[in-house]
Amino acid sequence: MANKVDNYLKKIVELGKIQHALDLGAGDGVLSIYCASFKIKIDAVDIKEPPPHLKNHQFINFLKMDLSQLILEPDKYDLIILRSILHFFKPEIVL
């Protein structure tokens, strides 16, 4: 798993200042699981069903939904992860 985690994300998480993160387009949950290993609470969002290893995880709350329908609460997250998801959006949403 470590080779799939971006070095920049590693540096941010390892600082120890992140308490609650949002993983948009969580997919198989590699990044969520990495963050959770530092006891960071994660809201992992993906349009697909959560993989079995993410169900009932102590630190990961998986939300099955379309990202375009997501409404963010101000100041809820210390970190928002968006990795390889922009190509799934319609151009008018991204721009």
Side-chain angles (χ1 to χ4, degrees):
M1 171 178 49
N3 60 348
K4 290 188 175 184
V5 178
D6 182 272
N7 284 333
Y8 186 67
L9 178 62
K10 285 181 185 179
K11 288 178 183 179
I12 291 171
V13 169
E14 290 172 1
L15 287 174
K17 297 182 179 184
I18 307 297
Q19 293 180 6
H20 199 176
L22 175 64
D23 184 2
L24 298 176
D28 62 3
V30 169
L31 301 178
S32 294
I33 291 169
Y34 179 76
C35 291
S37 72
F38 288 85
K39 298 184 178 171
I40 296 171
K41 294 178 187 173
I42 308 289
D43 287 337
V45 182
D46 204 288
I47 198 163
K48 296 184 273 182
E49 289 293 325
H53 60 276
L54 292 186
K55 293 181 180 179
N56 302 314
H57 192 285
Q58 181 181 2
F59 293 101
I60 300 172
N61 174 38
F62 194 95
L63 305 167
K64 181 185 179 287
M65 67 183 305
D66 185 326
L67 295 178
S68 66
Q69 305 301 311
L70 182 67
I71 299 173
L72 296 177
E73 297 175 36
D75 303 318
K76 181 174 182 178
Y77 300 104
D78 303 308
L79 174 67
I80 298 177
I81 302 166
L82 302 115
R83 185 169 179 199
S84 302
I85 66 167
L86 291 179
H87 59 281
F88 290 109
F89 287 97
K90 295 178 184 175
E92 60 270 17
I93 292 175
V94 176
L95 302 176

